Amino acid sequence: MSDHDEVRAVRELRAAVERLPREVRPARDLWPEIAGRLDERPRDQSAAGWWRLAAAVVLMAGGLFAATNLAPEARSPLLPVAAVAEAGSAMAAAHLRQRDGVLHAHNDLIAVAAQRRGRLDAVGAAALVAGLADLERATAEIEAALADSPRDRRLRLALAAAYRREAGWTSRLARV
Amino acid sequence: MRKTTLWTLAILFAAVAARAEQSVNATRSVAADATISIENVVGSLTIIGSDETELRVTGTMGDDVEELEISGDADELSIEVVIPDDDNWQGKRKVGADLEIRVPRGVSLEVESVSASIDISGVSGAIEAGSVSGAVTVAGGSSDVEVESVSGAVSVTGGSGSIVAESVSGAVVLEGVAGDIEATTVSGTIKVDAGAVDDVELESVAGSIYFKGRLTDGTLDIESHSGNVEVLLPADLGAEFELESFSGRIENAFGPAARRSDRYEPGVSVEFSTGSGSADVSIETFSGNIVLKKY
């Protein structure tokens, strides 16, 4: 190959490289597979600092309410929080402890509601428990998604909203 | 002889059963704009607004009801079905009361029950009604309505002004309503078929949300976690729209298709405006689908 040919080949190669797209869009949606793999690896422990704080605030509010309003004998078994418990990481364990506090407050409120009336019927009591489980499930889903995408601002906002929602419903249920 | 004995026993049993109910018939003078609070744990409450100038309570109460206590004055009256103060009455004692209460149309009501259903109609004053497992129904044009139930259905028909409805697992149904609307549920469905509305806030965790109504220059704000959202708005609506879902699907009849919000993460969203854009529509879900339609 002469020098002239080599220069021409290099120019053509460079031109070809410049014609390549800056981004390559996948032929199909790869997110489900990525999300599946993310689920398999340990959760990012560093990303959860601020919402641990949010959980702690909710916990403190719940604990304060429980301490000032609830009788000790009102305690009842915890609701299951399968999504959080299954995560298994150190972060999930720490978070689970915080969530335990919130759940204690929730369950105490159910017991208090029953005590106050002494007449809460089975349908209403079951609806309360199921409603709280739904709230827990929704929050756990957002927590799991945020653990996978810790920089997602919308998820952080959604989780904060979920904690507010739980706190709001907890206080509503206290009025029952 | 044996047949006669059986008949006698049957008649005696019927007589005892008949005694298991107390009939109620009471009247009180109340002001046209009085505040009336009513509490009945089990049974049913039917409250009817009328042009009469006095309050009338009729109906029946179980034999174990201690008394129907009516206290207060013409401006502030309280009606309570008093039942034994112990925890073991449920299913064992006859403490239910089925009452019909006629009130002047302009009174304000505060009504509370545990499993008793509450049915209110024709009252134009403010209404607050709550139950644990009983259904709560309000019809007939009150300006301010606040209703809630844990597992019972909540229904408001024809109100305007400010309407707030909450449930945990019961359905929330608002029909022919106008003004400001706020509906919240955990797992119950929300269905709103409204007239002209100003500001609307609908929120659900797992229940689906349906909204149809004429939005002029107010806001429609809908949030759902996993419940699907279906919204029907007038085809000529001028509004700014924001639709967003983390893992749900978005169908949009008013503007462009939703796109992935971030190249590396899931979630679709779309923002656009139509016409004058004087109203604001915001719909957000986590995993629920969003369907926005014209009518």
Side-chain angles (χ1 to χ4, degrees):
Chain A
M1 181 184 285
S2 68
D3 289 349
H4 182 263
D5 288 342
E6 195 170 341
V7 168
R8 193 175 65 184
V10 169
R11 282 179 179 164
E12 283 175 356
L13 183 60
R14 182 184 291 169
V17 168
E18 285 175 355
R19 281 197 302 273
L20 287 171
R22 299 286 176 189
E23 300 172 5
V24 179
R25 289 189 166 275
R28 59 193 170 80
D29 189 352
L30 298 172
W31 177 253
E33 286 179 28
I34 296 169
R37 288 183 187 180
L38 286 171
D39 278 340
E40 291 166 11
R41 73 178 189 194
R43 298 285 162 83
D44 182 354
Q45 296 184 26
S46 62
W50 78 269
W51 58 271
R52 278 189 196 173
L53 183 63
V57 170
V58 174
L59 171 64
M60 285 168 64
L64 184 64
F65 184 92
T68 53
N69 293 274
L70 308 182
E73 60 271 22
R75 299 208 174 262
S76 58
L78 286 176
L79 293 169
V81 198
V84 178
E86 284 169 6
S89 67
M91 179 212 70
H95 181 61
L96 194 58
R97 284 195 295 276
Q98 294 169 336
R99 303 293 300 158
D100 271 358
V102 177
L103 289 173
H104 269 303
H106 282 191
N107 288 343
D108 286 350
L109 288 169
I110 293 176
V112 159
Q115 267 192 345
R116 281 180 187 166
R117 289 287 181 189
R119 300 151 190 163
L120 194 65
D121 63 5
V123 178
L128 283 176
V129 174
L132 288 171
D134 275 337
L135 285 162
E136 286 299 317
R137 201 175 300 120
T139 304
E141 282 177 16
I142 299 172
E143 287 169 349
L146 187 60
D148 289 339
S149 309
R151 288 173 301 178
D152 193 315
R153 182 177 161 275
R154 294 161 306 149
L155 285 176
R156 292 200 298 267
L157 292 172
L159 188 61
Y163 282 137
R164 281 200 304 276
R165 187 167 54 207
E166 279 197 59
W169 274 104
T170 304
S171 64
R172 279 188 189 116
L173 295 176
R175 299 198 312 255
V176 170
Chain B
M1 180 65 186
R2 193 173 172 183
K3 208 169 181 180
T4 310
T5 308
L6 283 174
W7 272 110
T8 308
L9 283 172
I11 290 166
L12 278 171
F13 180 79
V16 169
R19 281 193 57 212
E21 280 193 345
Q22 313 171 52
S23 62
V24 175
N25 193 344
T27 58
R28 293 287 188 281
S29 292
V30 289
D33 59 351
T35 298
I36 299 170
S37 62
I38 302 165
E39 189 174 327
N40 181 23
V41 174
V42 186
S44 64
L45 280 170
T46 304
I47 303 163
I48 302 167
S50 72
D51 294 328
E52 294 169 27
T53 56
E54 65 178 10
L55 175 144
R56 175 184 296 275
V57 187
T58 56
T60 57
M61 300 190 302
D63 203 34
D64 291 323
V65 171
E66 285 184 356
E67 64 171 322
L68 180 69
E69 185 179 281
I70 303 178
S71 58
D73 55 31
D75 292 320
E76 235 179 273
L77 196 74
S78 168
I79 302 170
E80 184 181 353
V81 177
V82 181
I83 63 177
D85 190 18
D86 64 56
D87 293 343
N88 301 317
W89 58 268
Q90 198 172 332
K92 297 173 185 171
R93 295 189 179 188
K94 294 179 171 59
V95 294
D98 296 302
L99 302 179
E100 180 179 297
I101 304 174
R102 291 188 166 269
V103 297
R105 198 178 300 282
V107 300
S108 296
L109 293 174
E110 294 167 5
V111 187
E112 203 177 334
S113 85
V114 176
S115 62
S117 61
I118 300 171
D119 192 341
I120 302 170
S121 61
V123 174
S124 59
I127 294 172
E128 278 183 44
S131 176
V132 175
S133 57
V136 181
T137 306
V138 177
S142 173
S143 57
D144 291 305
V145 178
E146 233 180 284
V147 285
E148 64 181 358
S149 180
V150 174
S151 59
V154 166
S155 165
V156 179
T157 306
S160 63
S162 168
I163 295 165
V164 179
E166 289 180 1
S167 88
V168 175
S169 64
V172 175
V173 180
L174 311 177
E175 290 183 315
V177 292
D180 294 336
I181 296 167
E182 194 181 324
T184 315
T185 175
V186 176
S187 58
T189 58
I190 296 178
K191 183 185 177 192
V192 181
D193 195 341
V197 291
D198 296 323
D199 291 322
V200 180
E201 270 186 67
L202 310 176
E203 186 182 337
S204 158
V205 177
S208 61
I209 297 177
Y210 171 92
F211 174 85
K212 181 183 180 186
R214 291 199 310 278
L215 190 67
T216 49
D217 57 358
T219 61
L220 172 61
D221 192 351
I222 299 179
E223 280 184 36
S224 164
H225 180 80
S226 56
N228 295 329
V229 176
E230 184 177 357
V231 173
L232 280 80
L233 294 168
D236 59 353
L237 174 66
E240 291 191 3
F241 289 82
E242 280 184 47
L243 314 178
E244 184 173 357
S245 179
F246 180 74
S247 60
R249 177 174 48 84
I250 297 179
E251 282 180 32
N252 178 17
F254 275 85
R259 290 169 169 258
R260 183 169 280 181
S261 314
D262 186 297
R263 196 188 315 156
Y264 304 108
E265 289 170 355
V268 288
S269 65
V270 61
E271 292 183 24
F272 62 97
S273 63
T274 58
S276 64
S278 56
D280 285 303
V281 177
S282 168
I283 306 172
E284 192 177 335
T285 71
F286 181 78
S287 57
N289 297 324
I290 298 172
V291 178
L292 182 59
K293 293 179 178 174
K294 296 177 178 179
Y295 76 92

